[in-house]
Amino acid sequence: PCEQNLSMPHSWFPFARAMQRRVIYHAGPTNSGKTYSAVEALKAADVGVYCSPLRLLALEQYDRLNQDGVACSLVTGEDCREVPGACHVACTVEMANISKRYDVAVIDEIQMIGDLQRGSAWSRALLGVPAAEVHVCGD
């Protein structure tokens, strides 16, 4: 069994902690372009991940990235679509791979970090994703 020692938080997320990460916060109301700006940075990256609160939003970014010529796979709790040669992935936040290095990570709806049921998934993504640039979007 895999157990996390809660008395040693400095030992958590060693890959991300070893990096000099840049965190960029995109704030604003709904339909203000927060996610658009972050996804533009994701598109320009060689390797990237988009983390969504909903399967539908992950699917939307998966479709959009592939339509824009950025090969992107999809990973949710219900669906896994591997695109050959893809260096980008759109996923639900719970499915974020925190052991793979990324150039850019986008964590959407960061305000969900305060949710009692699912907030820990946003904490895990924010603290643990090993990306040089982490874009967080939210209200």
Side-chain angles (χ1 to χ4, degrees):
C2 182
E3 293 182 16
Q4 182 75 48
N5 185 338
L6 298 180
S7 69
M8 300 178 63
H10 61 278
S11 68
W12 304 347
F13 313 116
F15 298 120
R17 290 179 54 84
M19 298 176 70
Q20 289 282 10
R21 300 187 311 156
R22 181 173 178 224
V23 178
I24 300 155
Y25 179 48
H26 301 264
T30 302
N31 292 324
S32 63
K34 308 177 294 282
T35 303
Y36 175 83
S37 299
V39 170
E40 287 301 302
L42 179 66
K43 285 183 191 178
D46 290 332
V47 182
V49 61
Y50 169 81
C51 302
S52 160
L54 302 171
R55 178 193 173 279
L56 189 59
L57 291 176
L59 180 61
E60 181 182 309
Q61 290 302 332
Y62 161 82
D63 286 337
R64 186 168 293 148
L65 288 166
N66 282 299
Q67 286 172 0
D68 290 347
V70 178
C72 180
S73 295
L74 175 71
V75 179
T76 72
E78 302 171 15
D79 202 354
C80 184
R81 302 180 192 178
E82 286 194 41
V83 173
C87 292
H88 287 68
V89 63
C91 62
T92 47
V93 69
E94 289 88 353
M95 300 303 291
N97 183 347
I98 61 167
S99 40
K100 179 177 178 177
R101 176 127 173 27
Y102 303 100
D103 297 319
V104 172
V106 175
I107 304 171
D108 212 350
E109 304 296 341
I110 192 65
Q111 69 275 9
M112 291 290 295
I113 204 166
D115 184 80
L116 291 176
Q117 273 77 43
R118 297 181 64 207
S120 62
W122 275 264
S123 295
R124 176 183 169 271
L126 179 60
L127 297 173
V129 70
E133 204 170 272
V134 180
H135 293 257
V136 291
C137 307
D139 299 337

